[in-house]
Amino acid sequence: MPALVNYGGDDDFYSGGSFYTNSTDLGRLCSISSQVDVYCPTRKRARIDAPFSFGEMEVQQNKQPSIDVLPDECLFEIFKRIPGGRERSSCACVSKHWLTLLTSIRKGEYESSKVVKENINSSSDDVEMISSEEDEGYLTRCLEGKKATDMRLAAVAVGTSGHGGLGKLSIRGGSSSCGVTNFGLSAIARGCPSLKVLSLWNVPRVGDEGLSEIAKECHLLEKLDLCQCPLVSSKGLIAIAENCPNLTVLSIESCSKIGNEGLQAIGKLCPNLQYISIKDCPLVGDHGVSSLLSSASSVLSKVKLQGLSITDFSLAVIGHYGKSVTNLVLSGLQNVTEKGFWVMGNAQGLQKLVSLMITSCCGVTDVSLEAIGKGCTNLKQMCLRRCCFVSGDGLVAFAKSAGSLECLQLEECNRVTQAGIIGVLSNCGLKSLTLVKCMGIKDISLGAPLSSPCNSLKSLSIRNCPGFGTVSLALVGNLCPQLQQIDLSGLCGITDAGLLPLLQNCEAGLLKVNLSGCLNLTDGIILALMRLHGATLEVLNLDGCRRITDACLVAVADNCVFLSDLDVSRCAITDAGVAALSCAEQLNLQVLSFSGCSGVTNKSLTFLKKMGKTLVGLNLLHCNSISAQTVELLMESLWRCDILF
């Protein structure tokens, strides 16, 4: 059996005497002495029990080695007296049987542990140092897939005991036939009382028995993550609550047997709980969530509730008792109505809430959204995803009431219009605005004059919103003169003429620009970008802009000073553009991507080597004109650079 721990101890040298310590081995040697001359040191005559034949070399051995004859009770007592973790690891290497016996011994049952405890009580500094070295829990172990078995867990339990102790254990996925069971988890519990973080993902054979063993032995447990554990019920969670008072983080996902009773126990018996995440647990309802939140309200700061069958009552409890909650995520709560969100906002209990994310909740409407804005006075980050009943008017009302709002993210909110976006920018001090797949935005001219500019907005991201075109870009450009980051990826409809006003109105100087997938942009707008913002630009992404040519790289080489990340994948770039880029001595590019540029050939080898002094990442995927030999030469020269080919 392979060694569990790499131990580089001193070699044991032979100190004299016979090499044969077993009488049977010595008898075998004597049985062939009549045919072969053998020197044998003078010793007490061996006692021969096995029959042998003078004419053959065969020996029939009837007795097993004496150590295997000992019953498990005797081996148990022997193993209890093994002095240290390294010696136990050596014993565990003998056989699976010995490994299993060793894992059945609790750490406190070893005689050496008892001596340490007695000496600690007598204030021995030296022994105190030994104890802390073994029990602190410095080590981290992760078992995934086929490696997640009971035997490996047993090996971890024995092997880590003498090397700082196991502090973090993650088990992710296992075979349904030979994966981790309660036996393996019990071995960890008995051998690793220093465990503080436990993560169990997709372990269908682990149930309450294994989790209860962890609770009984690992009283230092602080973080518990259970995902797809169908045999774990509220009983296991209650055991954790009763024995692990230091629990600060609890995450439960797709555990079909965990219900309200377990959450009630956690709320009552875990006073230090700071983070709770519950997702897709059908037995969890209002009773469990409300009891947990009302009991643990003093320090609970982060709450995630996803795919649960809770109602308006739970949200009312959150709004009333969530006095310490700073981050709140609510997703897929189909039974919560407009009233629930309205009460949560008007309860005035979420005064410390900083970040709120709501996804696929039908109860979020214009009315409830405004109530949230008024009740959460310190809200800085708001994310709404697939909230189909939120309109532009409701968004403007929310922006007016949420005076501290800095970041707003909208994804697939299809009732939000161009007027709503302009109204939001005109009525609050946003620093960041993100729109993703909002199909309700149409590119139309507004008859009313624009309001005062939004000088606070620094970052604008509009991705895959096909209705956001030239007119909308011009409006945003006039409203937001202090932009430093723009992401317009996937806006196929914008042209050079539509983007130019936005670039011209950015007074602060752009730092990051992402135009990937903007198929109609040409070299002209990139030349304008370099002329206006080349001195400040740090990141430029033109992936998929197929009308961009070598002229773009010439402009980059002439104007950019601080550019560190350049992506011209799937553009009309050739060797001439790479050559121009390599001549820019002021450039210090760190990441460069030519993926899908068929015009870049082996001739660019010299130019790429020249730029390689600063490169740490080079993407040459799907560059069909570059040979494998050229890439090998590049790898030899640019040994610091991570090259994709």
Side-chain angles (χ1 to χ4, degrees):
M1 185 174 179
L4 301 175
V5 179
N6 295 325
Y7 171 51
D10 297 330
D11 293 331
D12 295 325
F13 290 96
Y14 179 67
S15 58
S18 174
F19 287 94
Y20 299 93
T21 58
N22 189 289
S23 60
T24 305
D25 294 336
L26 186 57
R28 182 181 298 133
L29 179 62
C30 293
S31 69
I32 62 173
S33 62
S34 61
Q35 299 180 13
V36 182
D37 292 332
V38 179
Y39 169 73
C40 185
T42 304
R43 286 178 59 91
K44 184 178 178 180
R45 198 168 102 182
R47 184 176 179 181
I48 302 174
D49 294 328
F52 58 88
S53 174
F54 285 101
E56 297 180 0
M57 297 289 293
E58 260 180 56
V59 177
Q60 297 179 4
Q61 185 177 354
N62 296 327
K63 290 191 176 182
Q64 296 178 350
S66 59
I67 192 68
D68 285 341
V69 177
L70 289 177
D72 290 349
E73 292 80 5
C74 293
L75 289 174
F76 186 87
E77 292 299 325
I78 293 173
F79 291 156
K80 280 173 57 177
R81 288 161 175 80
I82 296 176
R86 292 179 177 177
E87 291 80 3
R88 295 167 203 152
S89 297
S90 299
C91 290
C93 295
V94 173
S95 67
K96 289 184 178 180
H97 180 59
W98 282 29
L99 174 59
T100 304
L101 282 176
L102 282 164
T103 57
S104 67
I105 306 174
R106 289 177 172 81
K107 192 167 180 110
E109 292 177 341
Y110 287 104
E111 294 296 331
S112 57
S113 299
K114 295 178 181 178
V115 172
V116 167
K117 289 181 180 179
E118 291 175 0
N119 290 334
I120 287 177
N121 292 333
S122 61
S123 302
S124 172
D125 294 336
D126 295 336
V127 178
E128 216 169 292
M129 290 175 61
I130 295 173
S131 176
S132 62
E133 180 185 356
E134 291 195 354
D135 296 340
E136 280 297 326
Y138 297 115
L139 301 180
T140 299
R141 293 291 181 267
C142 181
L143 303 182
E144 298 185 6
K146 294 181 179 179
K147 294 183 179 180
T149 63
D150 285 344
M151 283 297 104
R152 285 187 179 269
L153 279 182
V156 168
V158 176
T160 57
S161 61
H163 294 76
L166 184 66
K168 297 180 181 180
L169 175 63
S170 176
I171 305 173
R172 303 197 173 189
S175 171
S176 57
S177 58
C178 59
V180 173
T181 67
N182 292 326
F183 173 81
L185 210 58
S186 298
I188 290 293
R190 288 189 289 267
C192 307
S194 58
L195 189 66
K196 295 179 181 178
V197 180
L198 176 62
S199 179
L200 302 176
W201 285 21
N202 190 20
V203 282
R205 302 177 67 191
V206 171
D208 294 333
E209 181 183 344
L211 200 60
S212 296
E213 284 294 319
I214 290 289
K216 291 177 183 178
E217 304 294 339
C218 305
H219 302 297
L220 300 178
L221 192 68
E222 297 176 357
K223 299 180 181 180
L224 178 62
D225 183 5
L226 303 175
C227 179
Q228 296 181 10
C229 301
L231 297 183
V232 176
S233 69
S234 293
K235 181 180 178 182
L237 209 57
I238 292 172
I240 291 291
E242 291 175 345
N243 295 278
C244 304
N246 295 328
L247 193 69
T248 58
V249 176
L250 176 61
S251 179
I252 308 170
E253 180 178 348
S254 301
C255 296
S256 56
K257 290 188 176 182
I258 292 181
N260 296 328
E261 297 82 2
L263 295 181
Q264 287 176 343
I266 291 291
K268 293 178 181 178
L269 301 174
C270 298
N272 299 315
L273 191 68
Q274 299 175 11
Y275 174 96
I276 180 68
S277 175
I278 311 171
K279 180 179 181 180
D280 297 334
C281 295
L283 296 184
V284 172
D286 287 328
H287 199 50
V289 172
S290 59
S291 177
L292 173 67
L293 291 170
S294 59
S295 301
S297 60
S298 59
V299 294
L300 190 61
S301 59
K302 297 182 179 180
V303 178
K304 286 187 178 182
L305 303 176
Q306 300 170 277
L308 304 180
S309 57
I310 59 176
T311 66
D312 297 342
F313 180 75
S314 291
L315 262 66
V317 172
I318 293 175
H320 184 74
Y321 290 100
K323 300 184 184 300
S324 300
V325 175
T326 58
N327 296 73
L328 178 61
V329 176
L330 304 172
S331 176
L333 306 181
Q334 301 301 325
N335 295 330
V336 179
T337 66
E338 179 186 72
K339 180 181 179 181
F341 285 98
W342 184 85
V343 173
M344 184 182 76
N346 283 323
Q348 301 293 321
L350 295 174
Q351 297 297 315
K352 293 185 178 180
L353 188 66
V354 175
S355 175
L356 175 60
M357 179 183 295
I358 304 176
T359 303
S360 301
C361 292
C362 300
V364 180
T365 63
D366 293 346
V367 175
S368 59
L369 191 61
E370 184 178 4
I372 291 173
K374 292 179 179 179
C376 306
T377 56
N378 290 306
L379 188 64
K380 297 183 183 299
Q381 301 174 4
M382 181 66 169
C383 177
L384 296 175
R385 292 175 176 163
R386 295 186 291 277
C387 293
C388 54
F389 294 110
V390 174
S391 69
D393 294 338
L395 209 58
V396 172
F398 168 75
K400 290 180 179 179
S401 58
S404 301
L405 192 66
E406 296 180 355
C407 301
L408 177 62
Q409 181 175 345
L410 305 175
E411 295 187 19
E412 299 182 47
C413 296
N414 295 327
R415 293 188 64 188
V416 174
T417 62
Q418 181 199 69
I421 298 301
I422 300 301
V424 168
L425 293 175
S426 303
N427 288 281
C428 71
L430 278 182
K431 294 182 179 180
S432 174
L433 174 63
T434 300
L435 305 175
V436 181
K437 296 181 181 179
C438 293
M439 303 302 177
I441 298 177
K442 305 299 180 183
D443 202 37
I444 56 177
S445 299
L446 295 178
L450 293 176
S451 304
S452 58
C454 179
N455 292 315
S456 60
L457 194 70
K458 305 295 182 183
S459 175
L460 175 66
S461 179
I462 305 170
R463 306 195 300 269
N464 300 311
C465 298
F468 206 98
T470 300
V471 175
S472 302
L473 280 177
L475 290 173
V476 172
N478 290 329
L479 271 176
C480 310
Q482 300 300 319
L483 283 174
Q484 295 181 344
Q485 302 179 22
I486 59 172
D487 182 354
L488 305 178
S489 55
L491 300 188
C492 304
I494 63 172
T495 61
D496 292 358
L499 183 57
L500 184 59
L502 176 65
L503 299 181
Q504 291 174 335
N505 288 323
C506 294
E507 302 172 357
L510 291 172
L511 303 178
K512 298 180 180 180
V513 176
N514 185 353
L515 301 173
S516 61
C518 298
L519 305 179
N520 293 320
L521 297 182
T522 67
D523 289 331
I525 194 63
I526 304 303
L527 295 178
L529 174 64
M530 294 300 108
R531 184 179 67 255
L532 294 169
H533 304 285
T536 59
L537 199 61
E538 298 175 358
V539 178
L540 177 61
N541 189 341
L542 302 173
D543 182 12
C545 299
R546 56 194 179 191
R547 301 177 68 180
I548 300 297
T549 67
D550 294 334
C552 163
L553 295 187
V554 174
V556 168
D558 292 341
N559 295 279
C560 291
V561 179
F562 300 107
L563 191 68
S564 61
D565 190 333
L566 175 62
D567 190 344
V568 287
S569 300
R570 298 182 295 165
C571 295
I573 302 298
T574 67
D575 296 328
V578 182
L581 200 62
S582 66
C583 294
E585 297 182 357
Q586 81 281 3
L587 267 182
N588 290 306
L589 280 174
Q590 296 182 0
V591 180
L592 180 60
S593 179
F594 292 114
S595 176
C597 296
S598 57
V600 178
T601 69
N602 294 330
K603 296 179 181 179
S604 295
L605 175 62
T606 305
F607 312 133
L608 292 174
K609 284 184 177 180
K610 187 176 180 181
M611 290 187 288
K613 296 178 181 179
T614 59
L615 282 179
V616 296
L618 177 62
N619 188 353
L620 299 177
L621 287 171
H622 310 298
C623 292
N624 300 326
S625 301
I626 297 181
S627 65
Q629 294 178 346
T630 300
V631 175
E632 290 179 1
L633 293 175
L634 273 176
M635 289 181 175
E636 292 177 1
S637 301
L638 311 182
W639 56 271
R640 294 177 59 253
C641 182
D642 185 13
I643 301 178
L644 298 179
F645 178 69

